[in-house]
Amino acid sequence: PADIRERIVYAMQGAVAQYNRYGTFRKHITVNYNAGTPTAEANYDGWLQFGGSIGYRVALHEIAHTMGVGTYWAWGSNLSGGVWQGTQGKAQVRAFDGTGANINSDGTHFWNYGLNDDSEGNTESYRRHVLMVAAFRKDMGNE
């Protein structure tokens, strides 16, 4: 439907601009809509589908999955006990939050800065999200 398409285009244009503002990412993303999808979903191949959740924060979060967050084979190789071990990701989160900071993961999502929930949505979290994804891609060797 036209109104849903307009919301998706608006969210994706903003999210892509945010990723381009804070990093260099080479990725082609194909976006679809399926009313039967409870929230949204994406994979490393660049396929992203919106359903019940359409918006800027959701677009940023799902683009991260197309970049390898929880979807690329080397994601799990950088985790131990649910904590990110990659040097770039650790350095980035510690630059934000201090020397003892870590990134946690359930194997598919990460926090902090994973934009997993609307409560995480603010300008600084959006910027930090993109910088974390860039650092993760360096650790995974898929930048």
Side-chain angles (χ1 to χ4, degrees), residues 12 18 28 39 48 76 141-142:
M12 287 300 295
Q18 181 80 344
H28 177 83
T39 55
L48 191 159
N142 69 347

Side-chain angles (χ1 to χ4, degrees), residues 5-142:
R5 183 181 192 285
E6 184 177 311
R7 290 172 53 209
I8 290 171
V9 167
Y10 184 77
M12 287 300 295
Q13 285 178 338
V16 168
Q18 181 80 344
Y19 270 89
N20 287 336
R21 184 176 300 119
Y22 295 109
T24 301
F25 302 92
R26 292 173 192 85
K27 193 73 175 186
H28 177 83
I29 301 172
T30 301
V31 180
N32 294 295
Y33 171 74
N34 181 335
T37 300
T39 55
E41 56 192 3
N43 67 27
Y44 184 69
D45 292 331
W47 175 84
L48 191 159
Q49 182 163 279
F50 287 98
S53 295
I54 301 168
Y56 180 66
R57 184 213 40 96
V58 175
L60 287 166
H61 173 94
E62 296 303 331
I63 289 172
H65 289 307
T66 72
M67 297 290 174
V69 171
T71 59
Y72 188 65
W73 69 268
W75 177 261
S77 300
N78 280 281
L79 294 172
S80 178
V83 178
W84 188 261
Q85 300 300 312
T87 58
Q88 298 295 315
K90 285 170 73 170
Q92 186 63 73
V93 74
R94 289 174 180 174
F96 294 148
D97 298 331
T99 57
N102 285 310
I103 289 291
N104 297 289
S105 176
D106 61 6
T108 305
H109 299 96
F110 70 94
W111 57 92
N112 292 326
Y113 312 116
L115 304 180
N116 302 299
D117 185 84
D118 284 338
S119 66
E120 297 177 76
N122 65 67
T123 303
E124 184 60 14
S125 289
Y126 298 150
R127 184 183 76 86
R128 290 180 181 198
H129 169 82
V130 173
L131 292 171
M132 289 308 309
V133 171
F136 296 149
R137 285 178 59 84
K138 289 176 184 172
D139 286 337
M140 292 187 290
N142 69 347

